[in-house]
Amino acid sequence: MRTKKIMNLVCLFSFLLCSAGVFAQGTVTGTVTDDNNLPILGATVQVQGTSTGVVTDDNGNYSIQASDGDVLIVSYIGFGRKQVTVSGTTVNVQLQEDVSLLNEVVVSSTRKPVRKLQTTTSVNTVGIAELETIKPESFSEALQNTPGVTIDESQGRKGGFNIRGFPGGNFVTTLIDGMPVSGIANQSGGTQEFFGLDPNVERIEVVRGAAATLFGRSSAAGALNIISKTGGTETKGSFSITKYNNTANDGHIYDGDLDYRADFNLNGPLSDKLRYNIGGYVIQDSGVKEQANKDKGFQLRANVDWLISDKSRIRFYTGYFNNQFQNIIGTVWDMQNESLAEGWNARSTFYNNPLGSMVLNQNLGVRQAFFNTAPVTNAAGGGALTWNPAESIERAKGINFGADATFHLGNEWYFSEKIRYNDFFLRDINDLNLTTIFEQADTTTRLNANALNQNRELLTETRISKQIQGDSSEHNLTFGLYYSDAKRDRLGFNYFYGSNVSPRPTFTTLFGFGNGSFSDPTLPQTVYISNTSSHREETATGIFLGDEMVFNEKLSINAGFRYDWQKGYINNNPEEIRENSIDFDPGTEEENEIKLTDYSFSIGANYLTGETSAVYANFTRSFTFQTVDEVDDEFLDNELVKNFEIGYRAGLGDLTLDATYFNTNIDNSVSTIFDNDVGGFVDRPAGSYKINGAEIALAYTPKMVKGLLLSGSFTLQNSEFDDFIEGIDDATVTAINDAGNPLDLNLVNQGGATALDLSGNQVRQQPKTIFNLNLAYNGKNWGANFGGFTYTGLYYDNANIYNDQSLSVYNTGAYVKFPLGDDEIRLSLLVKNVFDGTNAQNIFTGGGLDEVIQSTIADPNYTNQLAFAVTQNPKRVLFTVGYSF
């Protein structure tokens, strides 16, 4: 195998793996080779029980201070560790390849790199080989084979994901090289608002549980750390182009178009101490479902690393992003037959044609509010403000740049500084049904919520750490300060319109051309500037400290504490809104400010019960801050999270096992509802819930069949509301009482109004079981794979009225490589959703519980009843030609 393929990882963290100190009396030299007698670049050689360590050079050579009788520990990623006793001045070591996943070195489960076997939390890695095989279109899709992670790919390249034991929400932080992707708390969990998955990604590490004190205030469920490539000692590069099959139905404006994506990456040395990496993509794709706007754009990211010494380095990086990704707006679901409605298929959506809407609607007058028909004044030129619904395009455009530095101050003291600046323009679209349940002949009420956003963010993190090495123990003490200053200007438009229940209705324009209709042309349209038009400031400060301890090289304990402050400020003064393409006079200005504080702590332990086995446990007390509200003067309490996990992992020959029990309790939870008075979705206090379960993950990597991987996981979880109240309207209360409450709903009095007590019900969109499967063979010149997931026991409403559902997505593919000396050409074919499943990822997304209750009472068999739904993506074929050198 090519031992230099992951030098970029070693350069990134070798200064932490190896601590140079002189305690011995002589110099020992030698060479580290693999099982083919080829030299290994970047292998770690460390004197057992000390902080003395070095890294091998290009020829596998090393030189270290040691004495006779000392034990050298030699390790390298992908190979088994070896212990050798020093006898003389020359010690040569041959490492044997070990594909056990327990020997992977991860950097996201603690503040220093450790073997996966020794981590105190559940952690999985998605490496570059897997990324090349499964060809994910988003970061969430890259996690499809990760145990205990549920993904939602129904939104095309704007996917989402949840970690087992937690519902959706702000419980996970996405990091880029250890730094949160955003300084705004409720945007820290996703990536699609900012950038796409590109070939600069070296690997993705997923930490589940006990991460709050390490990574931030929104990390109760864990963290997703996107780790970028570092240039090596040789110039390397790759280029590929992927052709997608066109998924547009006959007669669509993009039917028959060429859909493609081109990726490139180049990295290597600029000098002995300088390494570079640059890469990106260009995309032009009609998208996974039938929409009016394509996925298109380009992205470019680059970094330069200055390797000052083995223990000190500085990285400078930047990126430019211009992405337009579809935000899928849903389909029609037949509740009676539990399938897509007649006339709809996996590619269909409520069609939104910009050509038709421009001709039909021209510029629509903008109203002050839902119940205020007075036009909004154009402050620049007077008169009524207008808006063209054809501008409803999901887009992210902007730049970021920053630096990441670590300096060795001597005597094992380290100083680290991370700083990043983001400046993004975001056009955020959500288009959904407000009519939850309807019939084929009905006209549904739809909402197109369109907002222009401008984010400017400065994020910094400063850390001071001290490594202490004793005779039988070591400590890595860390004290840190996090600070972010984020400003977000948002100009929101809500467009209410009526639509018939057809995937692509047609009408004839004044010029006689037939086009798809944005809506039923016989129905009136209403547009108004929503109360989300605002200037928002969010300043966050966090202080954290921790100790990562190892005793007798067997017991690892990680403990940490963090305290966070957040100040939120919002108003709707147009003079403070940076986005100035539309000028307006809001009539009445509103302003709010909140100050929030809270703390989190975590403790985890790992004990090696053998050379390849360990038990581990962790506990965290964490929270999520609420965001400043645009209208209400009263603010919600922080959601409080307590999470406990205990597990066992072991290498049993060629088999790797990881078994876990987890328990999560969340108090002060909120429920997100659509408020007509606000003109958008708002959070309201609801109650608490708990989720507990068990998980087992297995991986089989037989030494007899090199390159074969069989892995899978099974998660069983029980989610249950505990003292959780959800409001219903008066019409629903009347329907329940008149029918004698046939659904046996638990009605309670809340503030003088009737509401539902959901205690004991299953939490919506939390599957009872999660199954992942991955079968892959990566040979010398060819490979094949099959994998995916199945979720069962999904409810789509909190009252658990509509029957539980299941969801399965499986992909398959193969590739062949043609060596050209040190270069190669790779041809690959991948089929996504190979069984072409069309089950719903989510149902009732546009409406509330009221219509579900009333419809079920009226007809429990759901005869001719249709619902708004978002289904899984259709089967798609990708053909890729790649060249690497």
Side-chain angles (χ1 to χ4, degrees), residues 538-812:
E538 188 174 302
T539 303
T541 305
I543 295 177
F544 57 90
L545 54 92
D547 187 6
E548 299 163 80
M549 301 161 269
V550 180
F551 300 95
N552 297 315
E553 298 185 358
K554 285 185 173 293
L555 177 62
S556 301
I557 298 177
N558 296 336
F561 176 84
R562 183 181 182 108
Y563 199 90
D564 284 278
W565 297 262
Q566 178 176 298
K567 179 180 179 181
Y569 167 79
I570 188 170
N571 68 26
N572 64 335
N573 184 351
E575 294 183 1
E576 296 192 36
I577 297 179
R578 182 182 179 188
E579 171 54 52
N580 55 16
S581 61
I582 298 178
D583 201 359
F584 72 100
D585 181 357
T588 302
E589 291 187 15
E590 297 177 340
E591 185 172 284
N592 280 322
E593 182 176 345
I594 59 172
K595 296 180 181 179
L596 301 169
T597 63
D598 216 323
Y599 70 93
S600 57
F601 69 85
S602 62
I603 184 167
N606 179 298
Y607 183 76
L608 297 178
T609 57
E611 285 292 324
T612 59
S613 62
V615 293
Y616 62 96
N618 57 74
F619 174 81
T620 182
R621 188 274 190 195
S622 185
F623 63 92
T624 59
F625 281 144
Q626 305 300 334
T627 57
V628 57
D629 194 283
E630 293 94 332
V631 176
D632 292 345
D633 293 324
E634 297 181 3
F635 302 102
L636 306 171
D637 294 330
N638 301 329
E639 286 184 291
L640 299 181
V641 179
K642 295 178 182 178
N643 177 246
F644 170 74
E645 181 179 314
I646 185 170
Y648 173 76
R649 58 174 66 105
L652 309 172
D654 295 338
L655 185 68
T656 299
L657 164 72
D658 199 334
T660 309
Y661 169 79
F662 54 90
N663 183 282
T664 303
N665 288 274
I666 302 176
D667 296 323
N668 302 332
S669 181
V670 299
S671 178
T672 302
I673 63 173
F674 185 82
D675 190 318
N676 283 334
D677 293 332
V678 175
F681 290 93
V682 297
D683 291 335
R684 293 289 183 260
S688 60
Y689 47 87
K690 55 189 176 184
I691 303 174
N692 61 77
E695 179 177 279
I696 184 169
L698 297 170
Y700 179 60
T701 52
K703 294 183 177 64
M704 296 295 293
V705 186
K706 189 175 181 180
L708 180 63
L709 169 65
L710 310 176
S711 65
S713 67
F714 180 77
T715 305
L716 177 65
Q717 65 179 2
N718 177 55
S719 59
E720 184 177 301
F721 286 116
D722 184 15
D723 190 25
F724 196 96
I725 307 299
E726 185 162 324
I728 53 178
D729 60 28
D730 293 339
T732 304
V733 174
T734 300
I736 293 173
N737 292 331
D738 288 348
N741 195 10
L743 301 177
D744 197 26
L745 300 171
N746 188 8
L747 302 179
V748 296
N749 186 287
Q750 185 186 49
T754 301
L756 286 181
D757 183 354
L758 301 177
S759 300
N761 285 9
Q762 182 178 322
V763 181
R764 70 186 298 267
Q765 287 191 278
Q766 287 299 297
K768 294 177 181 177
T769 65
I770 305 169
F771 174 71
N772 297 84
L773 177 66
N774 184 28
L775 311 177
Y777 173 73
N778 293 294
K780 183 178 181 180
N781 293 317
W782 69 278
N785 67 285
F786 174 83
F789 58 83
T790 295
Y791 310 146
T792 66
L794 284 160
Y795 276 102
Y796 298 110
D797 64 279
N798 287 336
N800 297 173
I801 295 174
Y802 193 52
N803 292 334
D804 54 336
Q805 304 287 309
S806 63
L807 181 73
S808 294
V809 177
Y810 287 89
N811 308 329
T812 188

Side-chain angles (χ1 to χ4, degrees), residues 82-128:
K82 197 165 188 178
Q83 297 185 8
V84 182
T85 301
V86 175
S87 178
T89 59
T90 302
V91 178
N92 295 322
V93 181
Q94 185 179 54
L95 298 182
Q96 300 297 315
E97 186 176 4
D98 184 356
V99 295
S100 170
L101 303 181
L102 297 178
N103 285 321
E104 289 181 333
V105 175
V106 295
V107 300
S108 302
S109 59
T110 65
R111 284 291 182 178
K112 66 175 184 178
V114 296
R115 286 192 301 159
K116 179 181 175 181
L117 178 64
Q118 295 176 281
T119 61
T120 62
T121 61
S122 296
V123 57
N124 286 82
T125 300
V126 183
I128 190 170

